[in-house]
Amino acid sequence: MSDSSPAHPAVPVLDVWCELQCPDCRGALDDLRALRARYGDRLEVRLRHFPLEKHKHSFAAAQAAEEALEQGRGWPYVEAVLGRVEELDRGGESFLVEVARELGLDAEEFDTALIDGRHILIVDADQAEGKAIGVTGTPTYVIGGERLDGGKSQEGLRERVEEIADRLLAEG
């Protein structure tokens, strides 16, 4: 169906470079919830993957998050996994499939996706882009061309994101 109404102004995008086995990313969940609650669909919050070598299940977790996104429950899945980082440390891929089942997703499809690697290219591309723009740890936020590194401290980051988002919305 073609849409003849005037084009909607571009919504500012907040890229969140994240890793699902990262305790610091779990700390960022409250900020992300608050930002999504405050802006709703006036701000596009995009999960970007930056699995770190030191976390052996983070690459599989990134693929699982993509599968959850495909099944329509990306953020609930991300929040569920991040909220239980220690269980991911212990359980690895079987834990990732279990969380999918708990959320009523197609767990068999998760299992298959992790085996056939259908989401690896997306994860690799995110990681490469992250490295290219200077992401070194997670969480890192990018909005309006500005990179905010939450890996060291998340103090004041949400306020900074809100300042930039408000400015972009005002300009938009």
Side-chain angles (χ1 to χ4, degrees):
M1 191 173 89
S2 68
D3 184 3
S4 57
S5 63
H8 295 289
V11 172
V13 173
L14 171 64
D15 278 332
V16 183
W17 300 86
C18 181
E19 197 241 45
L20 296 191
Q21 206 175 343
C22 165
D24 290 332
C25 288
R26 175 172 58 193
L29 276 179
D30 287 340
D31 283 345
L32 290 174
R33 279 192 200 107
L35 288 165
R36 295 212 316 269
R38 175 172 173 175
Y39 293 102
D41 51 14
R42 294 182 307 133
L43 177 69
E44 184 187 344
V45 181
R46 282 196 312 205
L47 176 70
R48 306 300 299 275
H49 303 290
F50 202 75
L52 301 169
E53 298 277 315
K54 64 182 176 183
H55 293 139
K56 66 176 188 288
H57 304 304
S58 62
F59 195 75
Q63 294 175 69
E66 280 300 315
E67 181 58 35
L69 212 59
E70 208 158 271
Q71 293 191 28
R73 300 291 306 280
W75 280 111
Y77 185 82
V78 166
E79 292 191 5
V81 172
L82 273 176
R84 294 154 67 184
V85 171
E86 298 79 8
E87 286 179 69
L88 175 56
D89 289 346
R90 289 193 305 270
E93 295 191 10
S94 58
F95 169 72
L96 293 169
V97 173
E98 183 51 43
V99 171
R101 188 172 288 116
E102 287 168 14
L103 289 173
L105 297 170
D106 183 340
E108 306 314 310
E109 202 55 43
F110 265 79
D111 210 23
T112 309
L114 289 170
I115 292 165
D116 71 20
R118 69 184 71 160
H119 301 298
I120 286 178
L121 288 176
I122 295 174
V123 177
D124 280 346
D126 271 5
Q127 196 166 28
E129 187 184 328
K131 283 182 177 151
I133 64 168
V135 174
T136 54
T138 56
T140 296
Y141 305 94
V142 177
I143 181 171
E146 192 168 330
R147 190 177 79 239
L148 308 166
D149 182 358
K152 297 171 192 62
S153 163
Q154 297 184 51
E155 198 58 49
L157 279 190
R158 184 167 94 208
E159 292 76 8
R160 187 74 195 109
V161 167
E162 288 175 353
E163 267 170 40
I164 298 169
D166 288 344
R167 189 190 75 224
L168 292 171
L169 286 164
E171 290 168 1

